[in-house]
């Protein structure tokens, strides 16, 4: 007579999903999350969402929680509400839909605890090099996943392609590209006849630029993305290693946002001159980020019409990767690189990939 021994097991707790950031991207995330739920896709339960003012449990009412968080009053206190709220545990997934430096500081901490991090916040791996290195160590030590597809190219298979080449032993010679969807839109539409300032305001109203468009026009956003790509390629670049030619003169950079908006027409003559010079030479203006093993730069360039980065339209990002495998004719990755909806889709793609692992 045989005896069957049944070992007691602890049921595996389903991972929780938490969202930080309830602005444009966070709102788009919630809307897409609910659509995926309606299609019965296996998305983890959205337990809570938070911003700098409030934390709200979602239950079956994510939209109501979002509305409540966005209507919350400013609060006092050193710690944000999500730091004081329900703790995240190993296996849970936190989504960073902010642009917050203080939230990016938590990425390595969460990873070290086994919490998966999915982020559109470029300040984690596109900010200070020590922070990026800490994130890399934490994910390696804990085995937690770091979903960063939304940080560059709004989910285009750009980081994935670059990492796959490196993992396969390919040496990256050079990467250059149109890395800002907002600046792509601007220079795809700017015709040298109508004021450049009008296009900037139109792009801001459409949600292509940051609320303060100087973050786009200064090249700072592109610098962060370039750092993420360079580090993925194995180059430990620091922010100061990247030469940035800003489109914003120093006297405008120091203004308040309303004053800067009023002063935007000061850019018109400068950009008109750059456009006319490029047009006379049969070239087009493109705002590029570029790195190789010797230098890295960000700025406006006039490119010949047959250049691989002159194509595309709208908010398209267009990035050329030169390597041992692609020495002359680069691998080009192209697609929409701006907008809350595509960014939210990239975040949820990473969430689904982690949940399915």
């Amino acid at each position: 007579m045989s005896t069957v021994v049944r070992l007691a097991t602890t049921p595996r707790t389903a991972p929780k999903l938490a969202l930080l950031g309830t602005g444009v991207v966070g709102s788009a995330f919630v809307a897409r999350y609910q659509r995926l739920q309606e299609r019965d896709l296996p998305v983890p339960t959205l337990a809570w969402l938070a911003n700098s003012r409030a934390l709200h449990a979602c239950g079956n009412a994510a939209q109501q929680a979002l509305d409540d968080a966005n209507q919350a009053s400013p609060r006092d206190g050193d710690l944000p509400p999500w730091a004081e709220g329900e703790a995240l545990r190993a296996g849970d997934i936190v989504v960073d839909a902010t642009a917050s430096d203080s939230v990016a500081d938590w990425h390595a901490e969460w990873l070290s605890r086994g919490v998966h991090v999915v982020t559109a916040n470029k300040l984690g791996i596109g900010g200070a090099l020590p922070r990026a290195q800490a994130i890399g160590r934490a994910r390696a030590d804990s085995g937690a996943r770091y979903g960063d597809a939304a940080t560059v190219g709004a989910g285009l298979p750009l980081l994935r392609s670059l990492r796959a080449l490196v993992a396969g032993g390919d040496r990256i010679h050079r990467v250059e590209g149109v890395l800002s969807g907002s600046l792509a839109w601007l220079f795809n539409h700017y015709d040298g006849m109508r004021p450049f300032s009008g296009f900037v305001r139109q792009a801001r109203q459409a949600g292509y630029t940051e609320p303060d468009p100087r973050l786009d026009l200064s090249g700072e956003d592109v610098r962060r993305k370039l750092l993420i790509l360079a580090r993925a390629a194995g180059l430990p670049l620091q922010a100061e290693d990247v030469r940035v030619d800003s489109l914003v003169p120093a006297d405008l950079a120091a203004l308040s946002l309303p004053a800067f908006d009023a002063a935007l027409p000061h850019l018109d003559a400068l950009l008109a001159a750059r456009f006319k010079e490029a047009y006379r030479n049969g070239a087009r203006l493109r705002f590029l980020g570029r790195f190789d093993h010797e230098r890295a730069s960000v700025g406006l360039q006039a490119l010949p019409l047959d250049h691989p980065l002159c194509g595309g339209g709208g908010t398209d990002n267009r990035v050329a990767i030169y390597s041992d495998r692609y020495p002359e004719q680069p691998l080009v990755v192209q697609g929409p690189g701006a907008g809350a909806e595509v960014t939210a889709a990239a975040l949820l793609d990473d969430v689904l990939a982690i949940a399915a692992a």
Side-chain angles (χ1 to χ4, degrees):
M1 180 177 179
S2 62
T3 302
V4 177
V5 179
R6 299 186 183 278
L7 299 176
T9 60
T10 301
R12 182 186 176 190
T13 304
K16 290 182 302 189
L17 179 63
L19 171 67
L20 299 183
T22 61
V24 176
V25 173
S27 298
F29 180 92
V30 169
R32 184 171 179 83
Y33 174 86
Q34 292 179 316
R35 290 197 298 272
L36 296 185
Q37 271 192 319
E38 291 167 0
R39 292 166 50 193
D40 293 325
L41 289 175
V43 289
T45 299
L46 183 57
W48 53 264
L49 54 78
N51 55 26
S52 61
R53 301 182 301 278
L55 180 149
H56 287 276
C58 292
N60 295 318
Q63 185 60 51
Q64 185 60 54
L66 179 75
D67 294 340
D68 291 343
N70 283 333
Q71 293 167 10
S73 300
R75 63 188 296 278
D76 297 324
D78 295 331
L79 289 175
W82 47 265
E84 300 167 351
E86 186 178 357
L88 294 164
R89 298 183 179 181
D92 291 341
I93 305 170
V94 60
V95 176
D96 180 0
T98 77
S100 166
D101 191 63
S102 61
V103 176
D105 255 343
W106 281 74
H107 289 189
E109 168 66 20
W110 285 320
L111 291 166
S112 70
R113 288 196 256 137
V115 177
H116 307 294
V117 177
V118 171
T119 182
N121 186 347
K122 293 177 278 292
L123 291 172
I125 54 172
L129 182 59
R131 177 191 286 163
Q133 292 171 330
I135 288 170
R137 287 192 300 270
R139 66 196 291 194
D141 291 344
S142 70
R145 301 273 294 278
Y146 192 74
D148 56 4
T151 60
V152 183
L156 292 175
L158 180 53
L159 277 170
R160 184 167 70 245
S161 299
L162 191 57
R163 287 170 176 151
L165 291 174
V166 173
D170 204 6
R171 292 180 302 175
I172 306 300
H173 301 168
R174 181 170 89 250
V175 175
E176 57 187 8
V178 176
L179 296 170
S180 165
S182 56
L183 291 170
W185 187 92
L186 282 170
F187 290 105
N188 279 324
H189 285 78
Y190 180 54
D191 56 11
M193 295 180 287
R194 292 171 289 175
F196 183 75
S197 55
F199 287 98
V200 173
R201 290 179 175 133
Q202 188 177 345
R204 184 174 60 193
Q205 290 168 0
Y208 297 144
T209 72
E210 296 293 331
D212 184 343
R214 281 174 291 191
L215 184 60
D216 304 272
L217 296 171
S218 69
E220 182 57 33
D221 181 64
V222 175
R223 168 162 42 190
R224 293 171 184 169
K225 293 175 181 176
L226 195 71
L227 288 172
I228 293 171
L229 292 175
R231 292 165 182 175
L235 298 179
L237 285 186
Q238 303 205 55
E240 55 268 27
D241 296 329
V242 184
R243 191 193 78 242
V244 178
D245 294 327
S246 173
L247 295 178
V248 182
D251 56 336
L252 299 190
L255 297 176
S256 67
L257 182 55
F260 171 71
D261 183 74
L264 258 177
H266 288 266
L267 301 179
D268 293 341
L270 173 65
L271 269 298
R274 296 285 294 270
F275 182 92
K276 290 175 183 177
E277 181 182 2
Y279 184 81
R280 283 197 300 267
N281 294 323
R284 290 179 181 166
L285 293 178
R286 293 291 184 264
F287 197 91
L288 301 185
R290 181 188 185 280
F291 73 84
D292 56 28
H293 288 269
E294 296 180 353
R295 61 185 66 86
S297 63
V298 168
L300 190 62
Q301 295 188 30
L303 301 181
L305 298 183
D306 59 353
H307 193 281
L309 300 179
C310 263
T315 62
D316 278 4
N317 281 190
R318 191 173 176 89
V319 180
I321 301 173
Y322 296 84
S323 67
D324 286 349
R325 192 180 304 183
Y326 305 105
E328 302 297 333
Q329 184 176 355
L331 172 66
V332 177
V333 179
Q334 176 185 330
E341 287 74 21
V342 290
T343 302
L347 290 170
L348 274 159
D349 285 350
D350 276 340
V351 168
L352 289 169
I354 290 170

